Amino acid sequence: MRTEHRTRRVLRRIALYVSLTVMALPFVVPTLWMVASSFKPLNEIFASPPSLFSASPTTAAYAEAFDFQPFARQYFNSVYIALVVTATVLLVSALAGYAFARIRFPGRNPLFITVLVGLLVPSEVTIVPLFQMFKLAGMVDTHWPLILVTAFAAPCVLATFVMRQFFIALPVELEEAARLDGLGRFGTWWRIAVPLAKPALSAVAILTFLASWNLYLEPTVYLTSPELFTLPQALTRFTDAYGGEMWNTQLAAATMTVVPVVVVFLVAQRQFVESLAHTGLKG
Amino acid sequence: MRTARKLVSALALGTVALAAGCGGQSDPDDVALRMSVWTSNEDQLALFNTIADAYKATHPEITSITFESLPFAEYNTTLTTQIAGGNAPDLAWMGDLSADLIDAGALVPLTEPLKATADWGYDDLLPSATAEFSHDGNLYAYPFSNSPFALYVNTDLLDDAGQKLPAQPTWDDISSIGAAVHAKTGKGGFVINDFAYSSWNTLATVWTGFGASAWNADGTQCGFTSPEMTAAFEFIHRAAFVDESMPGPGITADFFAGDAAFAVAQVSRAGLLDGSFAYDVQPLPQGPAGTYSVIGQAGMGVLKSSDHTEAATGFLAFLTNPENAAKLAQYFPPPRTSLLSGDALAANNTKFSPEQLQAVVVDQIADAVTLPNHTSPAEIAQKAKTELDAMWNPDADVPAVLTSVCAAIDPLLAE
Amino acid sequence: MTHTRPSVREAPTGASRGRAAPRRSRTSRRTDALAGYLFVAPQVLGVLVFVIVPVGLAMWYSLNEWNVFTGDLDFVGGDNYTAALNDPQLPGVLGATALFSGGVVVFNIALGLALAVMLNRRFRGVALFRTLFFSPVVVSVVAWTLVWGFLLQDNGGVNGVLAMVGIDGPNWLQNGPTAMASVTFTQVVRSVGINMVLFLAALQGVPKELYEAARVDGASSRRIFTGITLPLISPTLLLTAIITIVGALQSFAQIAVLTGGGPGLSTTVLVFYVFQQTFGFNDIGYGSTLALMLLTFVMLLTVVQWQLRRKWVTYED
């Protein structure tokens, strides 16, 4: 009786592992295949039957990626834009989220609903008018549109929403004590609320960084100079003089954009999952 | 409080510093010319820069001439966005965007200034080359590249399959040899380069041999329902799905990587031959309508929106004068009769012999038709592609699909 | 994991507000309001400048015909709206949009929930599996889609693997239904990790005592799931449904890189169509008209979901 129960448990455990592994394949294999294929010569990429490892591995495609486009510069562009955007969003959303949750002022709810609209407007609606506005401001083919729009429109609105939910859930007593000690609103926010909001802030930081890092439509529209390109846009430009795709170079470049982020995530995954769990986004 | 403010200003300064150096305004007294091109070939750009330097030496008012490489695949979109954004170049290469630009009156007429330039030799230009870029007797872009489509042959693959190419092959010969090579080696038969079951205008390299055309000469009537076009598409459909002499949709077979027996591609693609297999190049196969030739053209023109149209036109005349045209001819088959001979072209071509060049370039250009060209090229391309997608499965109804193509693009042709 | 009650929590603020209010003077309440305005000012102004004003401009553009080569703007009134009603391609585009967004939302939430339930227990390697399922989220959309583009070629990796087990795979991206399945699948796999994590967080917020009590009462696993778990995480379900559907309606890069909207119009979703009209055909007036239509859809869907929440979201104040 007892052993039978145990065997059933073991069997169920095995079934769980097998089904999870099978389910994980489409999540993992593309990334593995991308990394493996970036070391293949061109004629092996489409070889049939497909193989993960190359018969004659080469790093030529990696050199070509830097040779063909100012790829290092494009890498830097993506990194610094994402950092600037993330820092701005943290500041803006922590302020606004706190005020929408904690401070009573006339018109608070209408203003909050107005802000939420920013989450629902697809970028396709605003991209042409924004292009005209940035053209008037002389900012076309600069990084300003990518920074400003991401730092204040949709990704920031989501952040503001997350921060508001977080601050609503936070017990108010700590702040009350601080205010009795004579701290103003700003002081309370900066000394008490922001330090307590670290989990929510880190979730916001990660989501915002990814949103900026993955931006594709906007750079495609605003940027024409290759040295200003960001990575997702640069990835689609590895074509020869006649528009033919340079597959292996593309894969090498894609690997270089993906691997660092995946590694950072692997190292930080526990904190990340926990910080998301701590935000108001849960039930 | 103070810390936060410092943080804000540091952020603001940081962004300014990082985003600076992206614009760069020039002094209004200086003439700085920009020319958009789609080549990123360093040798070609070096040649353009040498010619530009020579021009600047005699024209001190021109402080700089920059050649901006835009990616070929997104050239039209990028150029249009630049024009719409008030950031247009002074001069630009153009392919199928030319019809729209001419139609919108966005280009500077060139006939008069070129004729007025001493020793430019306007009458040297081939009429078949200038037709595409002319409107009401005026030339709007200099057709600097007139690259005929040719049949590339991987002779190694043919030998492997024990096949021999007849002296004057027809499309049927190509298809049966291609099928044999595919059956024997598993490699592709014939490939229409860049077609990829999407860019249907490249199929003009086939249907012209059947006597068909996408629309009539003035671009008002759809030609896809003609019996000739139907025959052409039935041939292509059979090749892809019955004979398997042409790689089917979703199968990548790159001739230049040695994956196919034949390719129809422009002569200018010869640079992609890397010597890993033995090759030959021939004029296009004969179709039911006999011999024919097709060229892909590129022109360069001056945009009216430029602040310096006169200076830009002056530079264009210099860049395309007989002496410089001869230099450009090493990369781009020229529109000038005086430059068109196999020996002249072979001087700078390591891939082909003078005889091959005479046969596939010189003898072709005078009577060639161009790829289909019309205003609103992107919209026509998309509308027709949407309908043609129904063609690419084994049991497609070819005439019915072609009828729907005409139904889709007729309103655009009528505009 | 901390554990909070799964209800939306206006309550604490309200309570303390009640306590604190009498102590505050009128001026302090006024400076407080001023602080409130200053705090929200960057966000509100940002939304005004970068969202509200552009939407207004888009409405104006939709009433005009615009020649990009010459810069001329012609007022045409409702012509673009009439054109939309008569556009022969639009019904197909809307159908594809509904199919794609519907598919993405349904599979994304179902799979996200299933993964969260499977991974919401302790066993060796659970952290690794969570990471694996989440990892595509951090891969850029373009890179992810490019790779799937390779794998889904007729002679690509997916069919190669299928051939090994004796299945002759279809030509994925060349037939309407399989192309739609492909873009939906790649989109779901790429983005389900976010929903999985949100559901995991919500599941961990369900009080253990409730489960124990239910088990003591002899309830089956299924009964516990539908009777206790689902109702308790329903606010998260609502939120993820909204985020997922807004995201699906805006999926541009996936379509542009994987299928280019083809074959035929089978994967031309509205967002892609808008982009084509605007930047491919330079028809900015018509593009704006269609974009506003997309906005109307998103708004309507959100309002409908918000109304429906009364029915199916159990814990909501």
Side-chain angles (χ1 to χ4, degrees), chain C residues 22-102:
Chain C
R23 248 183 273 143
R24 267 180 225 154
S25 71
R26 189 168 246 192
T27 36
S28 97
R29 221 181 300 150
R30 206 175 288 157
T31 50
D32 218 31
L34 183 66
Y37 289 123
L38 287 177
F39 273 42
V40 301
Q43 176 67 91
V44 172
L45 287 179
V47 167
L48 277 181
V49 174
F50 298 116
V51 180
I52 309 287
V53 169
V55 168
L57 282 172
M59 290 177 183
W60 168 242
Y61 294 160
S62 75
L63 302 175
N64 286 278
E65 199 70 60
W66 185 339
N67 187 328
V68 281
F69 295 111
T70 57
D72 297 334
L73 207 62
D74 279 333
F75 186 81
V76 295
D79 280 11
N80 284 319
Y81 290 86
T82 326
L85 291 177
N86 297 321
D87 184 340
Q89 297 198 326
L90 197 54
V93 170
L94 294 180
T97 311
L99 212 57
F100 176 73
S101 325

Side-chain angles (χ1 to χ4, degrees), chain B residues 201-271:
Chain B
N201 64 334
T202 55
L203 293 180
T205 55
V206 180
W207 73 53
T208 307
F210 287 70
S213 59
W215 37 76
N216 62 347
D218 64 2
T220 51
Q221 296 219 314
C222 177
F224 278 87
T225 45
S226 70
E228 293 86 2
M229 190 62 96
T230 311
F233 270 95
E234 273 166 351
F235 167 77
I236 295 165
H237 189 267
R238 202 166 51 239
F241 296 102
V242 181
D243 304 340
E244 297 190 354
S245 53
M246 175 175 167
I251 294 178
T252 321
D254 182 359
F255 174 86
F256 296 97
D259 292 340
F262 304 103
V264 170
Q266 277 174 295
V267 174
S268 48
R269 297 292 172 91

Side-chain angles (χ1 to χ4, degrees), chain B residues 322-385:
Chain B
E323 189 193 339
N324 287 325
K327 292 178 188 158
L328 295 181
Q330 60 182 297
Y331 300 112
F332 313 107
R336 290 175 175 272
T337 327
S338 58
L339 295 172
L340 279 168
S341 80
D343 290 320
L345 294 178
N348 289 299
N349 192 314
T350 55
K351 306 287 183 188
F352 299 138
S353 68
E355 294 73 31
Q356 283 175 322
L357 286 165
Q358 181 74 32
V360 300
V361 180
V362 179
D363 296 347
Q364 303 296 322
I365 292 182
D367 301 316
V369 300
T370 60
L371 291 180
N373 200 356
H374 203 281
T375 49
S376 308
E379 198 166 358
I380 292 180
Q382 186 266 346
K383 292 256 156 65
K385 180 205 170 278

